[in-house]
Amino acid sequence: MQVGQRARNAFVVLWVTVTVLKAIVAARLPLFVDEAFYWQEGRHLAAAYSDLPGLTAWMTRLGAELAGHHAFGIRLPFLVMGALLPWMVARISTRWFGARVGWQAGSLTLLMPLSATLGILAVPDVPMAFAALLCLDAGARLLRQVDAGSALMLASGLVLGALSHYRFIGVIAVGFAALLLLPEGRRTLRDARVWMALTVGIVAWLPLLSWNMDNQDAGLKFQLVERHPWAFQAGGLWFLVIQPLLVTPLLCVAIWQACVAGIRPLPASPHRVQWRYFALLGGVSTLSIFLLGFFTDVERISFHWPLPGYFALLVVVPLVLGRWPRLWRRLAWVLVLLGAACAFGYYLTAASPTLRAQLAGNKFYPRNFAGWQPLADAVREELAAMPEGTRVVAGSFKVGAELGFLRNDPSIHVLPHPLNDKHGRTAQLALWKLIGEEPRSGPRLLVLAPGDQRYRDLLARYHQVCALVGPLPPPRVVSTDHGYQRFLLFRLPAERQSGACVTPAMAWVDAPLPDAQLRDAVDVSGWAFKDGVGLAAVEILVDGQVAARADYGLENDVTGFWEISTDPHHPRVGFRARLDVRALSPGRHWLGLRLHGTDDSVEDWWEQPFQVAH
């Protein structure tokens, strides 16, 4: 009793600490681009959408109505639901394995990095996890005895899951398979009340099926066909490598031990059937996702997909840890605590402009969280200087949704962009009549995010934009974190202009390389061009200040790669300058370019770091 009380007290302290920390992060962290689009969907209420069923959008709308139009308000329902998940795990585990095991399972849910931060972001994984736990609890109870309460819980979980995500189909399939593999499960499936619950769950998919039938199966094609290569790719190995890090290594070992122990013949115990049920659910689910990882989408975030399977195994994991030597058991808890600290540390870094800037140039730089408020401020200033009635046009759904949220305008027009297709948003934008060429009835403010495109495809993208809106006037550059989040704002006139395509400038620094160690003086060299009009000058910046004027117009033929380029100065688009760093303080500095076009445009390029060592 005393051990169970200590475990309960530890859980409550952890739960309060983690919940408060999640609320603080949720209030400070800018909206992720997907969250902004879910907010936009919530402002266009419907039964289902192109990318998801309706629940996520409905929850963002509910949060905004209850708590106001800000990031915390949008996330509030998800925070509440995420805060309930550890209690649900603790309750399930307590019912079958006792209070001490239950509270420890709840504590592990609070600390495991994959689940520790669940609820900070307004994403469908939160209601999907909630639905999976409802079904997990109901299934375990039905194995003991079929009753109306358990059947109702199963129906509720199935409905919430159907309204959360297409991926919940996998949860249903694994749960059904687990019941079929157990004699007690097959007996449960003979009960009419269970089939009534399953029927209710099936009906909950009708809004999504109806949407797809009305829209040429756009959602199904995206989720099941277009986003996945369905061919073996060795990159799936990274999925196997990253999972032990996101779960923490020793907890990962314990999870698989719990799975293996449950699948093997268990000694007679009151709840051996439930343990086997949890092991089958977790094992089949997780192994299936691991195997699918070699054939499915590896470009977008998918590391959270095994979470429902991990929840099923966490229910049992404290029993396994209890058999470990004390040293290893304590080390497992220390590692999971450190893992939770790292997970929260990442979000706190993304929420802090100062800390986030330190990650500029790093592959972990949280670009989708960065720069949106400065962009919104610049858009407001530009619109104030343009004629009344000027409308904003965004280069992709990301810019449209984020600007829409910050300006409280869910109807910003969006240009066609591969990103819209890649994320399954094109069909939804088309339904809202917010995508494609729009008859220009007045001036427009066009907002592009060059970082949304691979650099090798950026010039082609600029030419595509020209084909849509005409030659691009000199842009205003909005740069955040040394240019690693960068936007271009163009004042388009009321009527489309004719003439050759004029694009933003393109550039590259060949020397010095990023993070180079510099001591005295160094030659800065590279190339730069601007299609349609050409460049007049290139200046070298150090820490945002002009440090040298480059000799521009040197021979440097880059047309072999940029075949479509129309800069009139080709092949003389090279530059070189001598940079003396002896006056700079030791440490990290930032090298940039300022590109002056012959059309009087001035564009600051993104910066690269270098180290000064005296």
Side-chain angles (χ1 to χ4, degrees):
M1 188 66 166
Q2 188 177 4
V3 174
Q5 186 63 36
R6 287 202 302 268
R8 180 186 183 279
N9 292 342
F11 170 82
V12 171
V13 170
L14 281 173
W15 183 84
V16 171
T17 304
V18 169
T19 302
V20 170
L21 188 56
K22 286 201 289 189
I24 292 172
V25 174
R28 295 174 55 86
L29 186 69
L31 283 192
F32 188 73
V33 289
D34 286 338
E35 293 180 280
F37 194 78
Y38 301 146
W39 163 85
Q40 190 174 10
E41 289 178 326
R43 291 291 298 272
H44 297 86
L45 286 175
Y49 302 91
S50 67
D51 54 340
L52 289 175
L55 184 58
T56 302
W58 304 341
M59 289 173 66
T60 63
R61 179 64 176 269
L62 175 64
E65 296 294 334
L66 291 176
H69 181 79
H70 44 72
F72 183 81
I74 301 302
R75 292 165 172 158
L76 180 59
F78 300 85
L79 280 168
V80 172
M81 195 172 277
L84 293 175
L85 295 176
W87 290 95
M88 296 172 72
V89 172
R91 181 188 178 200
I92 296 169
S93 185
T94 297
R95 176 179 291 114
W96 305 111
F97 307 112
R100 179 184 64 82
V101 173
W103 294 119
Q104 288 180 353
S107 295
L108 288 171
T109 305
L110 280 166
L111 295 176
M112 186 175 72
L114 270 182
S115 56
T117 57
L118 206 60
I120 289 178
L121 302 183
V123 292
D125 299 276
V126 182
M128 182 175 163
F130 192 91
L133 282 174
L134 282 177
C135 293
L136 179 73
D137 193 4
R141 291 169 60 176
L142 288 167
L143 286 171
R144 180 183 62 182
Q145 179 184 355
V146 177
D147 56 53
S150 299
L152 180 61
M153 179 182 291
L154 178 61
S156 300
L158 292 172
V159 169
L160 279 177
L163 296 174
S164 299
H165 204 290
Y166 285 85
R167 287 202 315 273
F168 196 76
I169 296 172
V171 176
I172 296 172
V174 170
F176 197 76
L179 291 176
L180 287 175
L181 290 171
L182 294 169
E184 296 83 358
R186 294 192 291 272
R187 185 176 63 247
T188 297
L189 289 173
R190 297 190 191 105
D191 194 289
R193 288 168 291 185
V194 174
W195 283 100
M196 288 177 63
L198 293 173
T199 301
V200 171
I202 292 171
V203 170
W205 290 95
L206 291 181
L208 193 62
L209 293 174
S210 176
W211 188 95
N212 278 280
M213 290 177 66
D214 291 339
N215 294 277
Q216 294 79 48
D217 296 326
L220 284 169
K221 288 177 181 176
F222 168 70
Q223 293 288 351
L224 301 179
V225 180
E226 294 170 357
R227 69 175 294 183
H228 303 296
W230 295 120
F232 181 81
Q233 45 191 345
L237 286 170
W238 284 111
F239 193 86
L240 301 179
V241 172
I242 199 172
Q243 287 301 310
L245 298 177
L246 294 174
V247 175
T248 67
L250 290 181
L251 180 58
C252 188
V253 172
I255 283 174
W256 285 109
Q257 283 186 351
C259 177
V260 172
I263 294 174
R264 286 176 177 172
L266 292 167
S269 66
H271 307 303
R272 63 183 183 276
V273 173
Q274 279 72 26
W275 188 338
R276 182 156 293 164
Y277 168 68
F278 297 139
L280 286 170
L281 278 177
V284 173
S285 170
T286 307
L287 283 173
S288 299
I289 292 172
F290 283 178
L291 291 175
L292 284 172
F294 288 98
F295 302 92
T296 54
D297 179 16
V298 296
E299 293 186 18
R300 278 158 290 191
I301 295 173
S302 58
F303 57 73
H304 54 286
W305 287 9
L307 193 54
Y310 289 152
F311 279 145
L313 295 170
L314 281 178
V315 170
V316 192
V317 160
L319 284 174
V320 172
L321 288 177
R323 301 170 184 172
W324 286 15
R326 177 179 295 183
L327 176 62
W328 287 101
R329 186 168 64 247
R330 289 183 174 178
L331 184 58
W333 281 98
V334 169
L335 287 179
V336 79
L337 185 62
L338 290 174
C342 290
F344 277 102
Y346 178 78
Y347 283 113
L348 287 169
T349 298
S352 167
T354 302
L355 294 175
R356 189 185 63 233
Q358 299 301 314
L359 288 178
N362 188 290
K363 65 179 179 179
F364 297 110
Y365 174 71
R367 198 173 74 84
N368 281 321
F369 291 107
W372 301 113
Q373 189 58 57
L375 172 62
D377 294 340
V379 166
R380 185 178 63 252
E381 293 169 4
E382 290 294 302
L383 290 176
M386 296 180 73
E388 188 175 351
T390 299
R391 294 176 56 185
V392 177
V393 178
S396 71
F397 87 91
K398 289 185 176 184
V399 177
E402 288 282 0
L403 267 182
F405 173 73
L406 291 171
R407 294 182 54 78
N408 199 10
D409 178 4
S411 299
I412 291 179
H413 202 84
V414 174
L415 294 181
H417 194 292
L419 274 179
N420 305 332
D421 303 328
K422 183 178 179 180
H423 291 266
R425 272 66 193 261
T426 297
Q428 191 59 58
L429 291 165
L431 281 177
W432 294 335
K433 296 181 172 56
L434 294 180
I435 192 169
E437 294 186 66
E438 178 192 29
R440 197 183 301 176
S441 56
R444 298 287 185 265
L445 179 63
L446 174 63
V447 183
L448 301 182
D452 285 345
Q453 199 79 38
R454 290 185 303 182
Y455 187 62
R456 65 186 183 189
D457 300 324
L458 184 56
L459 185 62
R461 173 59 185 170
Y462 286 153
H463 280 265
Q464 291 169 3
V465 173
C466 275
L468 291 169
V469 303
L472 297 174
R476 172 177 175 176
V477 179
V478 179
S479 183
T480 302
D481 298 336
H482 307 288
Y484 284 87
Q485 180 66 294
R486 188 167 170 266
F487 302 99
L488 304 175
L489 281 60
F490 303 87
R491 298 185 184 184
L492 301 180
E495 295 184 1
R496 177 184 172 125
Q497 303 297 295
S498 59
C501 177
V502 178
T503 72
M506 303 280 290
W508 193 262
V509 176
D510 291 324
L513 296 176
D515 289 313
Q517 298 281 339
L518 307 182
R519 292 184 178 276
D520 299 315
V522 63
D523 283 332
V524 179
S525 62
W527 51 261
F529 62 82
K530 183 178 175 70
D531 274 13
V533 293
L535 291 174
V538 173
E539 293 177 316
I540 309 300
L541 307 181
V542 173
D543 298 331
Q545 303 298 316
V546 176
R549 185 180 179 90
D551 183 10
Y552 181 69
L554 305 178
E555 182 86 19
N556 193 338
D557 190 357
V558 296
T559 55
F561 186 85
W562 304 106
E563 296 178 355
I564 64 172
S565 181
T566 60
D567 186 303
H569 297 152
H570 283 304
R572 306 189 68 82
V573 295
F575 66 83
R576 182 179 291 111
R578 190 70 172 169
L579 180 64
D580 191 342
V581 301
R582 287 174 292 185
L584 298 176
S585 61
R588 196 183 203 199
H589 295 269
W590 292 88
L591 175 71
L593 304 175
R594 182 163 291 164
L595 311 172
H596 295 262
T598 60
D599 58 351
D600 296 325
S601 62
V602 179
E603 303 175 42
D604 284 0
W605 197 244
W606 73 63
E607 303 172 8
Q608 66 182 50
F610 66 93
Q611 301 288 334
V612 172
H614 292 317

